[in-house]
Amino acid sequence: MRHISTRGEAPAIGFTDALLAGLARDGGLYVPEAYPHLPREAIAGFAGLSFAETAKRVMGALVEGEIETPALDAMIDAAYASFRHPATCPLVQIDDNLFVLELFHGPTLAFKDVAMQLLGRLMDHVLKARGQRATIVGATSGDTGSAAVDAFSGLDQVDVFILYPHGRVSDVQRRQMTTVDAPNVHAVALEGTFDDCQAIVKGMFNHARFRDDLLLSGVNSINWARVAAQATYYFTSAVALGGPHRPISYAVPTGNFGDILAGDIARRMGLPVAELVIASNANDILPRTLETGSYTVTGVMPTTSPSMDIQVSSNFERLLFELYERDAGAIRGLMGGLAQSRAFAIAEEPLARLRRTFSATSVPEDVVAAEIGRTWREAGYLLDPHTAIGVVAGREGLARNPGTPMVALATAHPAKFPDAVEAASGVRPPLPPHMADLFDRAERFEVQPNDQGAIERFIRARSRIPGARAPGGGETGAAS
Ligand SMILES: Cc1ncc(COP(=O)(O)O)c(C=O)c1O
Ligand SMILES: N[C@@H](CCOP(=O)(O)O)C(=O)O
């Protein structure tokens, strides 16, 4: 299967090339030329399968033979063996027809592990087979970075540079990134926001000389393999609740639009999904876009759900590509507008499609805290602030459609955000035993200015790729 760029000006490539490429060379994001379709009977046949067995079928369809099946299956088995729950991603019922899908049983306690544990193995496998090295760059508001550090630390083929917004991630998130003593891992505290980190990462991909010298690769959800690997849990949860014989709804705490896009991918692959609800915190660019048709970037507001303190939702571009019926020229126009004036307007028909297939809500801080308290009192279940936003949105969705089961994605373990959880519920969630000494470990990170040139010099100086330490020429790339 070939993968094409949403901007239409990069060559079509296979799955493994898309895996290593991250961002396409025209600045766009890769998507498959056509989504593989899983027949209803095949999805029904997932009933009773383990998470890993389901992943083999879902990822098998998306990888489509580009990696030999025994090798892919072994990597999937190893990835999900790292989870600390026998069901990998269990469902827990917290109210009538309302379920949370716990995605946080992986090594770093957030949903990112589901894809990242597999991505690390896939990249290592492909790089070794090709005899190549890579420099992985990532932007994080806290969770992608910790998951990437865990998945890639100590690997010979890669150096990892993670940019996070200085002072804007939780202490647990920061320490997960800064206390890993592996020479190939570099945690960079950027003096800026997550959007600034993401803009620099995209800018480095758009700087051809730097990208080529450093053999750049990405682990954010701009990487097609990341979002593809997240589709599995929509299948496992839907089938557990009676799918595909009845549609299931999902409320998804959303920032960069990767997790909810994975639900849309599952739907395009044939899974009956009733509603996909975008659940935002006070950084409400997506609910505003659905309401007004105008995608307008404003300043980022710090909240108790810092991983969702995002204004530029990268993966929305993949959805726009579908809403505009794969008109890459139209996407180039919209993204040009975004780069120039921090805004674009969605045309009437694509907007109508967007409103038919998604709904959205923005949850204020006091409501997040109230939901954590309510769910603890009524169900004895402790939500992290991100998950609480999904639960609020899920309750709203259930009020619209009480007969359809609603799954709120539990994207992080409450112990990652103990201060907010304690303030809202009176309970301080402890870290699980494998992380109990996190606050005793020494930290290692470097503060850097919000400047792409400075970050490129920082990376070159620490690269283990022969020749990459020499300063490169050429213009610095832009973020769009
Ligand atoms: C805990 C948590 N919840 C929700 C999100 C939002 O997910 P996405 O960026 O895929 O929309 C993130 C960050 O990505 C996160 O770390
Ligand atoms: N919330 C994320 C932001 C990056 O998202 P990604 O899914 O594109 O990697 C984080 O925790 O880093």
Side-chain angles (χ1 to χ4, degrees):
M1 176 171 354
R2 313 296 288 166
H3 294 73
I4 55 174
S5 164
T6 49
R7 306 217 186 155
E9 293 183 327
I13 55 177
F15 179 87
T16 48
D17 283 330
L19 166 75
L20 296 185
L23 201 64
R25 280 183 184 271
D26 59 3
L29 306 184
Y30 282 112
V31 293
E33 218 159 34
Y35 287 92
H37 184 76
L38 295 177
R40 206 180 166 86
E41 318 78 70
I43 299 174
F46 295 170
L49 294 185
S50 67
F51 188 90
E53 289 304 319
T54 308
K56 288 172 192 173
R57 287 152 179 81
V58 174
M59 284 306 283
L62 290 161
V63 172
E64 217 196 23
E66 267 216 31
I67 297 172
E68 330 74 78
T69 305
L72 178 64
D73 287 357
M75 286 186 270
I76 289 173
D77 281 332
Y80 299 124
S82 71
F83 278 58
R84 289 182 169 75
H85 194 287
T88 310
C89 299
L91 272 171
V92 178
Q93 183 162 9
I94 57 166
D95 209 337
D96 285 350
N97 242 359
L98 180 59
F99 302 81
V100 293
L101 176 59
E102 293 184 341
L103 302 172
F104 52 68
H105 293 282
T108 68
L109 313 183
F111 77 98
K112 310 288 177 168
D113 290 322
V114 178
M116 205 69 81
Q117 284 297 314
L118 183 56
L119 207 66
R121 289 171 169 84
L122 287 170
M123 279 196 181
D124 195 45
H125 174 84
V126 174
L127 288 169
K128 276 189 178 135
R130 296 182 180 190
Q132 283 179 356
R133 299 187 56 82
T135 304
I136 291 182
V137 289
T140 190
S141 49
D143 292 325
T144 294
S146 29
V149 165
D150 184 273
F152 290 93
S153 67
L155 294 185
D156 285 340
Q157 312 297 116
V158 293
D159 293 316
V160 188
F161 294 85
I162 299 295
L163 274 53
Y164 67 90
H166 193 27
R168 291 174 181 246
V169 299
S170 82
D171 291 344
V172 173
Q173 289 176 313
R174 189 191 68 251
R175 285 183 159 273
Q176 283 181 309
M177 294 185 278
T178 60
T179 61
V180 172
D181 188 22
N184 70 327
V185 168
H186 305 273
V188 180
L190 191 93
E191 289 169 325
T193 64
F194 167 77
D195 288 327
D196 296 324
C197 297
Q198 180 156 251
I200 289 179
V201 166
K202 287 185 177 176
M204 290 191 290
F205 273 103
N206 289 335
H207 181 182
R209 172 78 187 272
F210 183 76
R211 176 182 185 147
D212 292 341
D213 283 356
L214 275 291
L215 304 168
L216 226 54
S217 199
V219 289
N220 281 107
S221 55
I222 52 174
N223 187 318
W224 165 250
R226 258 285 309 280
V227 282
Q230 289 173 206
T232 297
Y233 45 74
Y234 286 90
F235 285 96
T236 55
S237 53
V239 168
L241 294 173
H245 310 296
R246 62 172 176 168
I248 310 297
S249 292
Y250 290 88
V252 187
T254 295
N256 224 2
F257 206 75
D259 209 4
I260 195 158
L261 188 93
D264 193 53
I265 294 168
R267 178 157 69 179
R268 289 175 195 279
M269 290 175 75
L271 185 72
V273 173
E275 232 194 314
L276 280 175
V277 188
I278 300 166
S280 296
N281 63 19
N283 295 291
D284 62 348
I285 186 165
L286 292 168
R288 273 190 286 116
T289 302
L290 252 83
E291 197 184 322
T292 64
S294 168
Y295 184 99
T296 305
V297 177
T298 57
V300 179
M301 201 184 300
T303 69
T304 52
S305 47
S307 303
M308 288 158 52
D309 291 347
I310 296 175
Q311 283 284 334
V312 181
S313 288
S314 283
N315 273 286
F316 195 56
E317 180 169 342
R318 285 192 167 105
L319 180 66
L320 284 169
F321 186 60
E322 304 300 345
L323 298 173
Y324 275 82
E325 300 187 316
R326 300 199 153 204
D327 177 352
I331 303 304
R332 285 199 300 278
L334 297 181
M335 293 303 140
L338 184 62
Q340 271 201 333
S341 52
R342 311 292 286 157
F344 59 78
I346 304 179
E348 207 173 309
E349 281 187 24
L351 183 60
R353 281 184 209 111
L354 172 63
R355 288 175 174 156
R356 269 200 303 279
T357 44
F358 286 84
S359 51
T361 190
S362 159
V363 183
E365 286 292 90
D366 56 334
V367 179
V368 178
E371 183 61 58
I372 295 173
R374 171 185 174 177
T375 303
W376 174 245
R377 283 192 309 277
E378 291 181 3
Y381 188 88
L382 214 46
L383 300 168
D384 100 283
H386 305 76
T387 307
I389 289 167
V391 170
V392 172
R395 290 192 195 280
E396 288 176 14
L398 267 177
R400 286 189 293 272
N401 190 357
T404 301
M406 173 62 77
V407 178
L409 268 51
T411 50
H413 191 291
K416 274 194 120 162
F417 307 95
D419 297 338
V421 173
E422 186 176 20
S425 67
V427 180
R428 191 166 184 85
L431 283 168
H434 75 281
M435 280 172 48
D437 67 342
L438 188 67
F439 282 81
D440 303 329
R441 300 180 199 159
E443 287 194 77
R444 184 169 61 87
F445 65 92
E446 301 207 41
V447 181
Q448 288 290 308
N450 179 11
D451 174 66
Q452 185 179 334
I455 299 298
E456 291 186 358
R457 286 191 292 280
F458 177 92
I459 293 176
R460 277 192 188 277
R462 287 154 186 80
S463 173
R464 294 183 298 168
I465 292 177
R469 290 191 179 207
E475 293 298 307
T476 304
S480 74

